Amino acid sequence: MRVAVLTGAGISAESGLRTFRASDGLWEDHRIEEVATPEGFARDPDLVHRFYNQRRKDAAAALPNDAHRALAELARHVDLTLITQNVDDLHERGGSDRLIHMHGALTGALCAACGHRWPAPMVMTTGDPCPACTKQATRPDIVWFNEMPYRMEEIWEAVAKADVFAAIGTSGQVYPAAGLAQHAGRCGARTIELNLATSAVSRDFDERHEGPASRIVPDWVGSLIAAQQR
Ligand code: APR
């Protein structure tokens, strides 16, 4: 069985990491255009580094939860393509060793001058020189608004081939991620949404499971593995 799973901030909420659009979300006290666009970085790189340094610190202090671990277990039973919009490393620390960070990762640094990538320091500052070209153009390796998400060809292809597509903990408000369920359904997959509430794209799914990810994801994974073994 080929399974494609897309995760969003909701899968890390019970690990203590803030989501974006809840009442206490990150976008309630940060302006997207200031901290999550190339223009914002050009205007005030120190502000952007402070924002991501805090998120890198929060992610390092967080622990994966049963939802992250359940997806790592699922990969041992099916042909799983795990796609995440999240930039934390809780999937990796929960045992997933193959995944696509379509919006980049807090653990990555990128040189805006030459494109070189290297492991990010916990605290990144504007003056950090690039290890390759030595220019002081270091930025977080995060995909900002108006930038193209990573590995989209691979993602479209995996979703098109999937027998089952599940979206976990995402509000369905940011494309192209929000369009993956429709793409999966059109290509014949069974589509499943696992979320605490309805999302902007709930109508795109054949099936919905409502509740906290740390409970409903292990339950869903268990049923999928059992179905696979029958
Ligand atoms: N269990 C399951 N789902 C949850 C939980 C939980 N414990 N807590 C919250 N959720 C759900 C919410 O109902 C919501 O649908 O997680 C979703 C979080 O939505 P957003 O905050 O919009 O996060 P996300 O969908 O990942 O945002 C997508 O937007 O800001 C950009 O690049 C950023 O990757 C991010 C993208």
Side-chain angles (χ1 to χ4, degrees), residues 96-116:
S96 294
D97 53 14
R98 273 189 334 126
L99 69 153
I100 300 173
H101 274 281
M102 65 184 294
H103 289 168
L106 288 168
T107 53
L110 169 66
C111 175
C114 75
H116 179 64

PDB file of all heavy atoms in Angstrom, residues 96-116:
ATOM      1  N   SER A  96      11.149   9.193  12.311  1.00  0.00           N
ATOM      2  CA  SER A  96      10.997   9.188  10.840  1.00  0.00           C
ATOM      3  C   SER A  96      12.329   9.568  10.207  1.00  0.00           C
ATOM      4  O   SER A  96      12.880  10.641  10.494  1.00  0.00           O
ATOM      5  CB  SER A  96       9.921  10.193  10.400  1.00  0.00           C
ATOM      6  OG  SER A  96       8.650   9.784  10.858  1.00  0.00           O
ATOM      7  N   ASP A  97      12.865   8.684   9.342  1.00  0.00           N
ATOM      8  CA  ASP A  97      14.178   9.045   8.760  1.00  0.00           C
ATOM      9  C   ASP A  97      14.070   9.464   7.295  1.00  0.00           C
ATOM     10  O   ASP A  97      15.052   9.834   6.674  1.00  0.00           O
ATOM     11  CB  ASP A  97      15.172   7.877   8.929  1.00  0.00           C
ATOM     12  CG  ASP A  97      14.588   6.563   8.389  1.00  0.00           C
ATOM     13  OD1 ASP A  97      13.571   6.637   7.662  1.00  0.00           O
ATOM     14  OD2 ASP A  97      15.142   5.504   8.709  1.00  0.00           O
ATOM     15  N   ARG A  98      12.844   9.368   6.730  1.00  0.00           N
ATOM     16  CA  ARG A  98      12.676   9.843   5.344  1.00  0.00           C
ATOM     17  C   ARG A  98      11.475  10.770   5.336  1.00  0.00           C
ATOM     18  O   ARG A  98      10.363  10.338   5.638  1.00  0.00           O
ATOM     19  CB  ARG A  98      12.396   8.662   4.401  1.00  0.00           C
ATOM     20  CG  ARG A  98      13.623   7.986   3.862  1.00  0.00           C
ATOM     21  CD  ARG A  98      13.313   6.978   2.770  1.00  0.00           C
ATOM     22  NE  ARG A  98      11.992   6.407   2.819  1.00  0.00           N
ATOM     23  CZ  ARG A  98      11.140   6.415   1.768  1.00  0.00           C
ATOM     24  NH1 ARG A  98      11.473   7.029   0.664  1.00  0.00           N
ATOM     25  NH2 ARG A  98       9.964   5.852   1.856  1.00  0.00           N
ATOM     26  N   LEU A  99      11.716  12.045   5.069  1.00  0.00           N
ATOM     27  CA  LEU A  99      10.562  12.949   4.949  1.00  0.00           C
ATOM     28  C   LEU A  99      10.951  14.157   4.111  1.00  0.00           C
ATOM     29  O   LEU A  99      12.128  14.404   3.850  1.00  0.00           O
ATOM     30  CB  LEU A  99      10.028  13.394   6.305  1.00  0.00           C
ATOM     31  CG  LEU A  99      10.836  14.315   7.177  1.00  0.00           C
ATOM     32  CD1 LEU A  99       9.881  15.104   8.071  1.00  0.00           C
ATOM     33  CD2 LEU A  99      11.792  13.551   8.052  1.00  0.00           C
ATOM     34  N   ILE A 100       9.946  14.851   3.658  1.00  0.00           N
ATOM     35  CA  ILE A 100      10.161  16.043   2.815  1.00  0.00           C
ATOM     36  C   ILE A 100       9.713  17.278   3.594  1.00  0.00           C
ATOM     37  O   ILE A 100       8.529  17.392   3.943  1.00  0.00           O
ATOM     38  CB  ILE A 100       9.342  15.938   1.512  1.00  0.00           C
ATOM     39  CG1 ILE A 100       9.758  14.690   0.712  1.00  0.00           C
ATOM     40  CG2 ILE A 100       9.503  17.202   0.669  1.00  0.00           C
ATOM     41  CD1 ILE A 100       8.879  14.421  -0.518  1.00  0.00           C
ATOM     42  N   HIS A 101      10.677  18.152   3.882  1.00  0.00           N
ATOM     43  CA  HIS A 101      10.335  19.426   4.538  1.00  0.00           C
ATOM     44  C   HIS A 101      10.033  20.451   3.443  1.00  0.00           C
ATOM     45  O   HIS A 101      10.916  21.166   2.978  1.00  0.00           O
ATOM     46  CB  HIS A 101      11.525  19.909   5.374  1.00  0.00           C
ATOM     47  CG  HIS A 101      11.589  19.336   6.766  1.00  0.00           C
ATOM     48  ND1 HIS A 101      10.816  19.791   7.805  1.00  0.00           N
ATOM     49  CD2 HIS A 101      12.361  18.344   7.278  1.00  0.00           C
ATOM     50  CE1 HIS A 101      11.105  19.105   8.908  1.00  0.00           C
ATOM     51  NE2 HIS A 101      12.039  18.229   8.623  1.00  0.00           N
ATOM     52  N   MET A 102       8.799  20.532   3.027  1.00  0.00           N
ATOM     53  CA  MET A 102       8.474  21.384   1.865  1.00  0.00           C
ATOM     54  C   MET A 102       8.621  22.880   2.182  1.00  0.00           C
ATOM     55  O   MET A 102       8.776  23.695   1.264  1.00  0.00           O
ATOM     56  CB  MET A 102       7.070  21.082   1.331  1.00  0.00           C
ATOM     57  CG  MET A 102       5.943  21.419   2.274  1.00  0.00           C
ATOM     58  SD  MET A 102       4.334  20.926   1.616  1.00  0.00           S
ATOM     59  CE  MET A 102       4.173  22.003   0.188  1.00  0.00           C
ATOM     60  N   HIS A 103       8.595  23.229   3.468  1.00  0.00           N
ATOM     61  CA  HIS A 103       8.784  24.640   3.841  1.00  0.00           C
ATOM     62  C   HIS A 103      10.137  24.870   4.496  1.00  0.00           C
ATOM     63  O   HIS A 103      10.341  25.885   5.154  1.00  0.00           O
ATOM     64  CB  HIS A 103       7.662  25.090   4.787  1.00  0.00           C
ATOM     65  CG  HIS A 103       6.342  25.201   4.086  1.00  0.00           C
ATOM     66  ND1 HIS A 103       5.164  25.344   4.774  1.00  0.00           N
ATOM     67  CD2 HIS A 103       6.000  25.172   2.774  1.00  0.00           C
ATOM     68  CE1 HIS A 103       4.153  25.420   3.908  1.00  0.00           C
ATOM     69  NE2 HIS A 103       4.646  25.304   2.684  1.00  0.00           N
ATOM     70  N   GLY A 104      11.073  23.919   4.297  1.00  0.00           N
ATOM     71  CA  GLY A 104      12.403  24.080   4.878  1.00  0.00           C
ATOM     72  C   GLY A 104      12.445  23.581   6.316  1.00  0.00           C
ATOM     73  O   GLY A 104      11.517  22.936   6.794  1.00  0.00           O
ATOM     74  N   ALA A 105      13.559  23.892   6.999  1.00  0.00           N
ATOM     75  CA  ALA A 105      13.772  23.366   8.361  1.00  0.00           C
ATOM     76  C   ALA A 105      14.583  24.345   9.206  1.00  0.00           C
ATOM     77  O   ALA A 105      15.552  24.948   8.706  1.00  0.00           O
ATOM     78  CB  ALA A 105      14.488  22.028   8.277  1.00  0.00           C
ATOM     79  N   LEU A 106      14.213  24.464  10.472  1.00  0.00           N
ATOM     80  CA  LEU A 106      14.933  25.353  11.394  1.00  0.00           C
ATOM     81  C   LEU A 106      16.379  24.910  11.566  1.00  0.00           C
ATOM     82  O   LEU A 106      17.248  25.715  11.899  1.00  0.00           O
ATOM     83  CB  LEU A 106      14.240  25.348  12.765  1.00  0.00           C
ATOM     84  CG  LEU A 106      12.896  26.067  12.839  1.00  0.00           C
ATOM     85  CD1 LEU A 106      12.196  25.723  14.147  1.00  0.00           C
ATOM     86  CD2 LEU A 106      13.075  27.576  12.675  1.00  0.00           C
ATOM     87  N   THR A 107      16.644  23.616  11.315  1.00  0.00           N
ATOM     88  CA  THR A 107      18.007  23.102  11.507  1.00  0.00           C
ATOM     89  C   THR A 107      18.922  23.463  10.333  1.00  0.00           C
ATOM     90  O   THR A 107      20.093  23.098  10.335  1.00  0.00           O
ATOM     91  CB  THR A 107      17.984  21.560  11.632  1.00  0.00           C
ATOM     92  OG1 THR A 107      17.270  21.040  10.488  1.00  0.00           O
ATOM     93  CG2 THR A 107      17.284  21.124  12.917  1.00  0.00           C
ATOM     94  N   GLY A 108      18.359  24.152   9.324  1.00  0.00           N
ATOM     95  CA  GLY A 108      19.172  24.472   8.142  1.00  0.00           C
ATOM     96  C   GLY A 108      19.500  25.951   8.032  1.00  0.00           C
ATOM     97  O   GLY A 108      18.698  26.806   8.402  1.00  0.00           O
ATOM     98  N   ALA A 109      20.714  26.225   7.526  1.00  0.00           N
ATOM     99  CA  ALA A 109      21.120  27.599   7.189  1.00  0.00           C
ATOM    100  C   ALA A 109      21.363  27.651   5.687  1.00  0.00           C
ATOM    101  O   ALA A 109      21.747  26.646   5.067  1.00  0.00           O
ATOM    102  CB  ALA A 109      22.398  27.973   7.930  1.00  0.00           C
ATOM    103  N   LEU A 110      21.093  28.809   5.100  1.00  0.00           N
ATOM    104  CA  LEU A 110      21.209  28.961   3.642  1.00  0.00           C
ATOM    105  C   LEU A 110      21.937  30.286   3.360  1.00  0.00           C
ATOM    106  O   LEU A 110      21.687  31.290   4.028  1.00  0.00           O
ATOM    107  CB  LEU A 110      19.798  29.000   3.034  1.00  0.00           C
ATOM    108  CG  LEU A 110      19.627  29.404   1.574  1.00  0.00           C
ATOM    109  CD1 LEU A 110      20.270  28.369   0.651  1.00  0.00           C
ATOM    110  CD2 LEU A 110      18.132  29.543   1.237  1.00  0.00           C
ATOM    111  N   CYS A 111      22.846  30.260   2.403  1.00  0.00           N
ATOM    112  CA  CYS A 111      23.503  31.518   2.027  1.00  0.00           C
ATOM    113  C   CYS A 111      22.689  32.174   0.912  1.00  0.00           C
ATOM    114  O   CYS A 111      22.520  31.582  -0.174  1.00  0.00           O
ATOM    115  CB  CYS A 111      24.929  31.244   1.528  1.00  0.00           C
ATOM    116  SG  CYS A 111      25.731  32.741   0.931  1.00  0.00           S
ATOM    117  N   ALA A 112      22.190  33.364   1.188  1.00  0.00           N
ATOM    118  CA  ALA A 112      21.357  34.072   0.192  1.00  0.00           C
ATOM    119  C   ALA A 112      22.207  34.537  -0.991  1.00  0.00           C
ATOM    120  O   ALA A 112      21.676  34.865  -2.048  1.00  0.00           O
ATOM    121  CB  ALA A 112      20.675  35.271   0.852  1.00  0.00           C
ATOM    122  N   ALA A 113      23.530  34.502  -0.825  1.00  0.00           N
ATOM    123  CA  ALA A 113      24.389  34.966  -1.932  1.00  0.00           C
ATOM    124  C   ALA A 113      24.742  33.818  -2.880  1.00  0.00           C
ATOM    125  O   ALA A 113      24.584  33.932  -4.093  1.00  0.00           O
ATOM    126  CB  ALA A 113      25.671  35.575  -1.359  1.00  0.00           C
ATOM    127  N   CYS A 114      25.178  32.641  -2.297  1.00  0.00           N
ATOM    128  CA  CYS A 114      25.661  31.580  -3.214  1.00  0.00           C
ATOM    129  C   CYS A 114      24.810  30.318  -3.170  1.00  0.00           C
ATOM    130  O   CYS A 114      25.061  29.376  -3.917  1.00  0.00           O
ATOM    131  CB  CYS A 114      27.118  31.249  -2.870  1.00  0.00           C
ATOM    132  SG  CYS A 114      27.313  30.276  -1.354  1.00  0.00           S
ATOM    133  N   GLY A 115      23.834  30.275  -2.238  1.00  0.00           N
ATOM    134  CA  GLY A 115      22.947  29.097  -2.216  1.00  0.00           C
ATOM    135  C   GLY A 115      23.489  27.929  -1.412  1.00  0.00           C
ATOM    136  O   GLY A 115      22.869  26.877  -1.314  1.00  0.00           O
ATOM    137  N   HIS A 116      24.678  28.115  -0.808  1.00  0.00           N
ATOM    138  CA  HIS A 116      25.263  27.027   0.011  1.00  0.00           C
ATOM    139  C   HIS A 116      24.366  26.740   1.219  1.00  0.00           C
ATOM    140  O   HIS A 116      23.756  27.670   1.775  1.00  0.00           O
ATOM    141  CB  HIS A 116      26.661  27.455   0.487  1.00  0.00           C
ATOM    142  CG  HIS A 116      27.362  26.447   1.351  1.00  0.00           C
ATOM    143  ND1 HIS A 116      27.725  25.194   0.879  1.00  0.00           N
ATOM    144  CD2 HIS A 116      27.743  26.490   2.644  1.00  0.00           C
ATOM    145  CE1 HIS A 116      28.316  24.522   1.858  1.00  0.00           C
ATOM    146  NE2 HIS A 116      28.350  25.284   2.941  1.00  0.00           N
TER     147      HIS A 116
END
